[in-house]
Amino acid sequence: MIWWSRAIGSTLATIVLSKSVALSEGLLALALLIGMQFAISWSSTRMPWLRRVVTGEPRLLLRDGTMLDEALRDARVTREEVRAAVRSSGIGALGDVSAVVLETDGSFSVIAGQPGAALSSLDGVK
């Protein structure tokens, strides 16, 4: 979870740089963030339903060169963002892409290959 590391970094910067925040208040906020991260990660490894709520699920956005409009809309991703992900992976044509997946961390996975190929890496992807 990337968000919590940003939150901890921001809190730490505020403690160090801001004269209006008492050291004890800043340290308490920092301890709370670390405690919450530990509690959520501990709980999500033991409760699959909580893991789905916290991290979400990977989402298939493109299959065999065809954009999946409903999936794009649900994930709030534009066609241009998918094209940019394909370009950044070094592929020139959407037809050369077997799948593009929006991962739970917000990154795109571009899978090149033969259209219509069975892809075991897509098991569990909606």
Side-chain angles (χ1 to χ4, degrees), residues 17-111:
L17 300 174
S18 178
K19 294 180 182 178
S20 64
V21 176
L23 181 61
S24 59
E25 290 174 350
L27 292 176
L28 177 62
L30 197 60
L32 280 172
L33 281 173
I34 292 170
M36 286 173 45
Q37 169 59 26
F38 176 78
I40 290 171
S41 63
W42 183 86
S43 299
S44 68
T45 58
R46 286 157 180 77
M47 294 178 253
W49 66 269
L50 181 62
R51 181 175 38 252
R52 285 190 301 274
V53 169
V54 173
T55 61
E57 295 177 343
R59 190 69 184 230
L60 186 64
L61 302 176
L62 181 140
R63 178 66 191 218
D64 296 329
T66 304
M67 302 261 190
L68 305 175
D69 290 321
E70 187 175 331
L72 291 169
R73 193 171 33 258
D74 290 346
R76 295 180 303 281
V77 174
T78 65
R79 289 172 164 265
E80 290 74 26
E81 290 172 311
V82 174
R83 285 188 193 100
V86 171
R87 285 192 306 271
S88 69
S89 70
I91 300 172
L94 293 180
D96 295 337
V97 177
S98 291
V100 174
V101 177
L102 176 63
E103 300 294 351
T104 58
D105 65 356
S107 65
F108 293 100
S109 294
V110 178
I111 304 168

